[in-house]
Amino acid sequence: MAPRQGPQAPLEFGGPLGAAALMLLLPATMFHLLLVVRSGPARLLGPPPYLPGLEVLWSPQALLLLLTWLGLQAALYLLPARKVAEGQELKDKSRLRYPINGFQALVLTALLVGLGLSAGLPLGALPEMLLPLAFAATITTFIFSLFLYMKAQVAPASALAPGGNSGERGPSRLNPRICSFDFKYFCELRPGLIGWVFINLALLVQEAELRGSPSLAMWLVNGFQLLYVEAVLTTMDIMHDGFGFMLAFGDLAWVPFTYSLQAQFLLYHPQPLGLPMAAVICLISGLETIPTATGRQLLVSGWWGMVRHPNYLGDLIMALAWSLPHFCTGVSHLLPYFYVLYFTALLVHREARDERQCLQKYGRAWHEYCRRVPYRILPYIY
C-alpha cells in the first residue's frame, strides 16, 4: 500500500496553464504600455498605435547596455557591506546571510552616471531605447528562467520553495546561489529598482532638453519614487517564494519599464502643475511611517487595530500620490493610474496569501485577531 501523501500546497497562478498564460500576458502587457504611453490618445484600454517589427525591438546596442548594467550591479553587489543580515530559517535550520549594501550601490551608480554626464554621456537618449531595452530584458529573463529551472531540478528538497509553485515539475528553488551570490536577492533589490530610478532620471533629462527645464510634476514623480527605492534598498526585502520566471521577469523587466510609466507619461503628455496642488500631493505622500523588515512602510498611527495589513494601505496611498501629479488629466487618461490599479490587484492577491500563511502559523490566535479586526486593507470596505 502506497504511503499517504501529505497535503499539497495550493497551486499558484491557476496551475501550469495559468502560469504559461502569464508568461505571455505579462510581456505583452508591458509592451502594450510602452507603446500606448507615447501615442497621442494614450488610452490604457485602447489598441497600441502600431505593432513594432523585430527591426524596432531588436538592438545589439540595447542588449550590450543591459548586460553592462547587470554586470555593474553584480560587481557592486559583491563589494564589502557594512551590514550583513541573516535571512529566515530554512528547512535545514540554517540561515543565509545577505549584504545590506543596496543604498551603497545606488550612490556609487549615481556617481558613475554623474561622471558620465560630465563627460558627455547622452542620458537623455535612453528613453528612445526603452522598447529595445525591454525586449532585451525579456529575452534575458526567459533564458535566465530556464537556467533557474534546470538548477531547481537537481536541488535537494530542503532548497525548494514551499510557495510559488505553479504546478510544474516540483516547486522552484527558494534561494538559488553561486557561492555567496544570491540570484533572487540580487534581482529583487538591484538592477530593476536602481534601473527604475535612472530611467526616471533619463526621462527628466530628456524633458529638460525638449522644453528647457523639467516640469514640477516630473520633479515630484522622480523625487517620490527615489525616496521609495532608497527605503527598500536600506532593508532586506526577500520574499519567501521560489525564484522562477514570475519574480525574474518582475524584477528585471516589469519594475523598471512599467513602474516608470508615470514619468514616461509626463514626457510625452506634459501636465501643468501649480505649487498649491504640489503641496497637497506632498502632504499625501508624506505619511508618518517606519520602515519594516520587508522594505515596505508601516503606518504608526495605530491602524493595526483598524485593518490587518495597514502597510499595504500605505503602499496604495503612496502609489496614488505618485499618480496625482497627473491629476489635471482627470479620468480622461487611465494610463497614469495603471500602477495604482495593478498594485491594488497585486496586494489583494498577496494579502490572501498572507492570510493563509498567518492562519497556518498562528492558528486560533489568528482567528481571534480576525474577529477583532475584521477589515483586511481598507477600513469599512475590504
Side-chain angles (χ1 to χ4, degrees), residues 301-371:
S301 55
W303 284 8
W304 285 104
M306 297 180 63
V307 292
R308 301 200 289 269
H309 303 278
N311 51 327
Y312 290 169
L313 177 59
D315 274 339
L316 293 176
I317 295 175
M318 202 159 39
L320 178 62
W322 297 349
S323 298
L324 286 181
H326 315 81
F327 184 71
C328 55
T329 66
V331 292
S332 60
H333 287 287
L334 283 177
L335 195 59
Y337 305 97
F338 169 79
Y339 181 82
V340 181
L341 300 174
Y342 148 76
F343 213 46
T344 299
L346 174 70
L347 292 182
V348 168
H349 173 262
R350 184 177 293 173
E351 177 274 331
R353 295 176 60 185
D354 291 346
E355 290 283 319
R356 292 195 299 266
Q357 292 171 357
C358 289
L359 178 60
Q360 182 180 9
K361 183 176 182 180
Y362 299 112
R364 294 175 60 183
W366 184 254
H367 281 297
E368 175 62 18
Y369 178 63
C370 293
R371 185 188 68 80

Side-chain angles (χ1 to χ4, degrees), residues 83-282:
K83 179 181 178 183
V84 177
E86 289 189 342
Q88 298 183 31
E89 185 176 280
L90 303 178
K91 294 178 181 178
D92 60 1
K93 306 302 181 182
S94 67
R95 291 179 183 268
L96 298 176
R97 294 170 63 82
Y98 299 92
I100 310 299
N101 59 0
F103 182 72
Q104 173 185 334
L106 175 64
V107 172
L108 291 175
T109 303
L111 290 175
L112 290 174
V113 171
L115 290 174
L117 287 173
S118 64
L121 177 71
L123 185 62
L126 184 64
E128 302 304 321
M129 298 182 64
L130 289 185
L131 273 176
L133 279 171
F135 185 73
T138 302
I139 296 299
T140 302
T141 298
F142 273 98
I143 296 173
F144 184 43
S145 300
L146 179 61
F147 164 74
L148 294 172
Y149 178 81
M150 293 173 64
K151 281 185 69 69
Q153 304 313 303
V154 296
S158 61
L160 298 180
N165 180 13
S166 57
E168 64 269 21
R169 185 186 161 197
S172 49
R173 192 158 182 169
L174 182 60
N175 299 290
R177 288 186 163 208
I178 292 181
C179 297
S180 63
F181 192 92
D182 190 294
F183 289 108
K184 183 170 71 171
Y185 182 56
F186 168 74
C187 290
E188 281 190 6
L189 294 185
R190 301 307 174 90
L193 279 175
I194 298 177
W196 172 20
V197 169
F198 286 98
I199 288 175
N200 277 354
L201 178 61
L203 293 161
L204 183 148
V205 169
Q206 189 177 47
E207 186 181 49
E209 293 173 353
L210 292 175
R211 303 186 181 104
S213 64
S215 65
L216 180 57
M218 182 68 83
W219 279 115
L220 286 181
V221 167
N222 269 257
F224 290 162
Q225 296 182 351
L226 173 61
L227 290 174
Y228 179 81
V229 170
E230 285 181 356
V232 174
L233 290 177
T234 54
T235 60
M236 191 189 70
D237 182 11
I238 189 75
M239 295 177 63
H240 203 61
D241 286 328
F243 190 48
F245 174 82
M246 298 301 175
L247 281 182
F249 179 81
D251 296 336
L252 301 179
W254 185 266
V255 166
F257 298 108
T258 66
Y259 284 22
S260 60
L261 203 63
Q262 285 106 343
Q264 294 180 53
F265 184 87
L266 288 173
L267 176 65
Y268 299 110
H269 308 274
Q271 306 296 325
L273 181 67
L275 287 176
M277 185 61 188
V280 172
I281 293 170
C282 289

Side-chain angles (χ1 to χ4, degrees), residues 28-37 44 254 258 261 335 338:
T29 301
M30 179 183 70
F31 284 109
H32 171 77
L33 294 170
L34 290 174
L35 289 169
V36 299
V37 73
L44 175 61
W254 185 266
T258 66
L261 203 63
L335 195 59
F338 169 79

